[in-house]
Amino acid sequence: MPPQPIALPLLAAAPLLAVTALWAAPGDASRGEDVLASQKCVACHRFGPQWSPDLPPTLVKLFKSNLTPGRLAAEMWNHAPLMWTAIEARNQPFPTLSEEQASDLTAYFFAAGYFDTPGDPRRGERVFTSGGCHVCHLMESGQGGGPAVSAWGIASVTDLLQGMWSHWPAMNAAMGRRRLVWPAVSAGEMRDLLAFVRSRFPEKRKPEMRAGSSQAGRTLFEEKGCAACHQGDMDLSQYPHVRSFTQLASSFWNHIPMMTRAPPLVSDQEMADILAYLWSIRYFEESGSARRGKAVFQAKQCGKCHPARPRAGFTVASMIAALWKHPPAVVARMKQNMILWPTFLPGELEDLIALYRTVPR
């Protein structure tokens, strides 16, 4: 007798209205940190500042491999059977994760810097010199005209960007007097620059996550006057996809000279909130192919249990939430029906998401 499909209301279960609401209220990093605790993730995984020595080797390896939201979700799927074995061994309740919680969790990983590869201090020193930073910013003294690097107080990319942003008028005037050109900084150079500063003053540069609220950031984006300029051709939807915190930070830095008026003053937390909002509206735009997604859907035998019904607003968070709708009992039934647990190669999950986001014409 051939294997019988398992009737699981997984990917097509949520109504379109709920998905649309989720899309309008993207993940919040501060809530994501609470998800890690409430779902008992910290019982096995010790999360902390990026590259923390307390992280398990498997997580360190993952976070050093150009992690993206899609790859994070794929690795969770691939690792799931081992996770469930560990959960059962600890007699813990099996976690449940809504799409909103999955979105919050992804926002947390973004804010913590897990989607950034580590910078190189030696390259960062070259960026510091070639960009002319050393002319005004001496290491220990303020005699160069700008604050000494030792006084920057940088513990995160947010702190670095907030300092650059808030001091723009003074920096711009000083650079004009010294006939210096505003240096463009790439995302990689921003990572290296941050690594350089931390390496010179490690006792003052303990990495920390500053979780921002995307909802608060959206309000600030309007109150600070950003929304008044960023419309029409300047609408943020016209900008390239941002994949990491430092890429977003470098975009901010490179954007400053183009502004027609001095940037509004923002606090560290307000900057974190604005960055969280900007990241949230660009969340899940990683490229994927619906055509390739159809092939993945067939190869992984998803169709034996789930109809390939398109869902507007289907995201990486949808896939992460879907994972937790496959408890061990479901996996056991899959084995009985000779259905292999799906594992995803890089790019395959993004293609599958593209398939589910394709609305029929």
Side-chain angles (χ1 to χ4, degrees):
M1 182 176 179
Q4 297 298 311
I6 307 170
L8 294 177
L10 173 60
L11 298 179
L16 179 60
L17 180 61
V19 175
T20 303
L22 172 63
W23 192 247
D28 189 304
S30 57
R31 293 197 307 259
E33 191 171 16
D34 295 335
V35 171
L36 287 174
S38 65
Q39 297 300 322
K40 310 297 183 185
C41 306
V42 293
C44 296
H45 302 298
R46 295 183 299 277
F47 295 94
Q50 190 184 21
W51 324 127
S52 167
D54 294 333
L55 292 175
T58 52
L59 284 177
V60 172
K61 182 179 179 181
L62 176 60
F63 294 145
K64 286 185 177 180
S65 59
N66 294 318
L67 186 66
T68 64
R71 183 163 186 181
L72 173 66
E75 291 293 340
M76 290 179 70
W77 273 85
N78 298 345
H79 184 55
L82 291 177
M83 286 196 293
W84 292 327
T85 299
I87 290 171
E88 289 184 316
R90 289 171 176 264
N91 292 318
Q92 292 179 208
F94 193 76
T96 57
L97 208 63
S98 68
E99 289 193 22
E100 182 180 20
Q101 288 175 315
S103 185
D104 292 340
L105 190 61
T106 309
Y108 167 83
F109 283 119
F110 162 70
Y114 290 133
F115 296 148
D116 265 322
T117 52
D120 184 312
R122 291 170 298 180
R123 292 198 304 262
E125 185 173 11
R126 291 195 292 270
V127 172
F128 188 80
T129 302
S130 64
C133 310
H134 68 293
V135 175
C136 298
H137 299 287
L138 306 181
M139 287 293 110
E140 299 281 1
S141 168
Q143 293 181 357
V149 178
S150 61
W152 284 5
I154 296 170
S156 69
V157 177
T158 308
D159 295 330
L160 178 63
L161 182 56
Q162 194 275 339
M164 291 174 170
W165 186 266
S166 298
H167 290 86
W168 174 80
M171 283 195 295
N172 191 52
M175 292 176 72
R177 289 193 300 270
R178 299 189 183 203
R179 300 179 182 273
L180 295 174
V181 178
W182 189 274
V185 180
S186 69
E189 289 172 333
M190 186 69 77
R191 287 194 297 267
D192 294 337
L193 185 60
L194 184 60
F196 166 64
V197 173
R198 286 175 174 168
S199 70
R200 292 298 299 265
F201 304 98
E203 73 283 356
K204 299 180 181 180
R205 306 291 177 262
K206 299 298 183 184
E208 63 180 31
M209 185 201 75
R210 190 182 299 280
S213 165
S214 55
Q215 285 87 347
R218 181 176 182 175
T219 300
L220 286 167
F221 193 76
E222 296 178 355
E223 291 179 347
K224 299 293 183 179
C226 310
C229 290
H230 286 283
Q231 52 185 306
D233 292 340
M234 295 293 292
D235 188 271
L236 294 178
S237 63
Q238 308 297 320
Y239 286 60
H241 175 52
V242 173
R243 294 185 178 276
S244 70
F245 215 135
T246 45
Q247 186 179 354
L248 193 54
S250 67
S251 296
F252 262 47
W253 170 255
N254 296 334
H255 172 62
I256 289 175
M258 306 176 192
M259 299 181 67
T260 57
R261 59 182 179 180
L265 294 178
V266 294
S267 66
D268 289 345
Q269 187 58 53
E270 286 176 332
M271 180 62 75
D273 292 338
I274 291 172
L275 290 178
Y277 166 65
L278 292 179
W279 170 260
S280 70
I281 62 175
R282 312 283 302 160
Y283 244 173
F284 304 117
E285 297 185 23
E286 297 161 59
S287 59
S289 165
R291 178 183 56 80
R292 293 195 303 265
K294 184 175 182 180
V296 172
F297 184 84
Q298 294 171 344
K300 307 299 181 184
Q301 304 184 74
C302 307
K304 288 190 174 182
C305 304
H306 312 297
R309 296 174 183 169
R311 276 184 49 189
F314 195 79
T315 66
V316 169
S318 306
M319 284 300 302
I320 294 176
L323 168 64
W324 299 102
K325 293 183 173 69
H326 286 78
V330 172
V331 178
R333 291 168 61 191
M334 289 175 66
K335 290 182 178 178
Q336 292 175 359
N337 286 273
M338 294 185 289
I339 301 175
L340 297 176
W341 177 256
T343 57
F344 296 97
L345 297 173
E348 288 186 333
L349 191 138
E350 286 88 341
D351 293 337
L352 192 58
I353 291 173
L355 173 66
Y356 272 93
R357 291 183 66 176
T358 302
V359 179
R361 302 183 180 211

